Amino acid sequence: MSGLLSGRTIVVTGAGAGIGLGILRQVIAAGGTGIGFDISDSAEAKVTAEGGEFHKVDVADLDGFDAALHAVRDRHGRLDGLVNNAGVTINVPFLEMTRDQMETIWTVNHRSVLFGCQAAGRIMVDQGTGGAIVNISSNHARCTNPGFEAYAGSKGAITAMVRAMGWSLGRHGIRVNALCPGLTQTEVVKEAAKDPVNDAMFNSWHPDNTVNTVEDVGNAAVFLLSDAAASINGTEIIADRGMSALLGVNDARIKKG
């Protein structure tokens, strides 16, 4: 991946941990200038340790989000890419979900992504240099579980919106795609996997018995941000090691030995 993003300025939201930090790490490894946005003060040390530039940003604050994107453009003279990664997961029984929880999912997972694409798109159009936007969706947009209704809906919205954006922004040389990871070795998943039962279960969900690393997802994002993906626009890439390709039930037609 070395050199794929040389000379490019890339913003990653939610860059202080997990998949966001993995994406930022791989952006920098690919030669890009990595700018990490995160709401947490503790994220600054992690972002700068990777060689990135940190901006404290709450993507739910649309004015602040817009100002931060313009600040990056003003500081570096350009904005070449945006990865809308910031998001929240709320898993509760559907009939018990509160309106506040619904609003949180909508505000962070959908509205901020929609706005971030518009704000970054306007900057890129003004530059006249084109660019690339990668919106982090999930394999929950394709297959999900009870308790994830609002989360799955927000991720499905991302995969739907990129189809329209592929045309509305594509005519300006700006590609927009959704990247849909599955289970990934974030801090939370690694902690859960310390239990051998969980570890075996997580691995069994994948045909190669391997769970994505954050760097795996980061490499896919780097590809979509780069000219190597010039033909890919307005679509979704599922990066879950085959996790969502299998119907997770036993087939009674198959005789057991």
Side-chain angles (χ1 to χ4, degrees):
M1 305 297 279
S2 178
L4 274 180
L5 299 179
S6 292
R8 301 189 185 184
T9 300
I10 310 293
V11 169
V12 181
T13 70
I19 288 175
L21 188 60
I23 293 173
L24 184 77
R25 181 179 301 131
Q26 299 310 102
V27 164
I28 294 169
T33 298
I35 315 294
F37 286 6
D38 202 279
I39 193 173
S40 172
D41 289 321
S42 64
E44 181 172 9
K46 297 177 184 178
V47 168
T48 55
E50 298 291 343
E53 177 183 311
F54 177 75
H55 292 245
K56 184 175 182 180
V57 178
D58 178 1
V59 295
D61 172 8
L62 302 187
D63 288 339
F65 191 5
D66 189 43
L69 288 171
H70 279 84
V72 169
R73 192 274 311 273
D74 293 345
R75 176 178 172 83
H76 295 276
R78 59 192 297 128
L79 175 65
D80 301 291
L82 170 66
V83 181
N84 280 308
N85 166 76
V88 294
T89 304
I90 299 177
N91 175 19
V92 296
F94 179 55
L95 297 181
E96 298 174 17
M97 175 167 266
T98 67
R99 292 178 183 179
D100 284 344
Q101 289 171 327
M102 293 179 187
E103 188 66 24
T104 296
I105 288 283
W106 151 250
T107 300
V108 179
N109 290 15
H110 182 193
R111 189 185 70 162
S112 75
V113 174
L114 184 67
F115 176 81
C117 291
Q118 183 190 61
R122 286 172 172 170
I123 290 172
M124 293 173 184
V125 169
D126 183 61
Q127 290 174 171
T129 56
I133 298 173
V134 177
N135 296 321
I136 302 302
S137 179
S138 168
N139 62 1
H140 275 273
R142 287 287 181 175
C143 58
T144 189
N145 298 306
F148 286 94
E149 290 81 7
Y151 178 79
S154 70
K155 295 303 184 178
I158 289 174
T159 61
M161 72 172 74
V162 301
R163 297 183 189 114
M165 290 179 185
W167 277 89
S168 58
L169 296 179
R171 58 175 53 97
H172 300 286
I174 302 166
R175 293 181 298 102
V176 189
N177 291 291
L179 177 59
C180 306
L183 186 70
T184 303
Q185 294 180 46
T186 61
E187 294 85 347
V188 172
V189 171
K190 284 182 176 180
E191 183 63 30
K194 290 179 180 179
D195 181 333
V197 174
N198 287 339
D199 187 47
M201 178 177 65
F202 292 162
N203 288 330
S204 74
W205 292 346
H206 304 83
D208 62 355
N209 289 306
T210 304
V211 178
N212 264 347
T213 67
V214 295
E215 290 80 14
D216 290 332
V217 181
N219 286 335
V222 166
F223 168 70
L224 289 173
L225 290 165
S226 76
D227 290 342
S231 65
I232 302 176
N233 183 34
T235 192
E236 60 186 293
I237 301 295
I238 299 175
D240 68 356
R241 290 182 174 268
M243 178 183 177
S244 61
L246 180 68
L247 186 64
V249 296
N250 293 324
D251 190 334
R253 297 169 298 178
I254 299 176
K255 293 182 179 181
K256 302 301 187 290

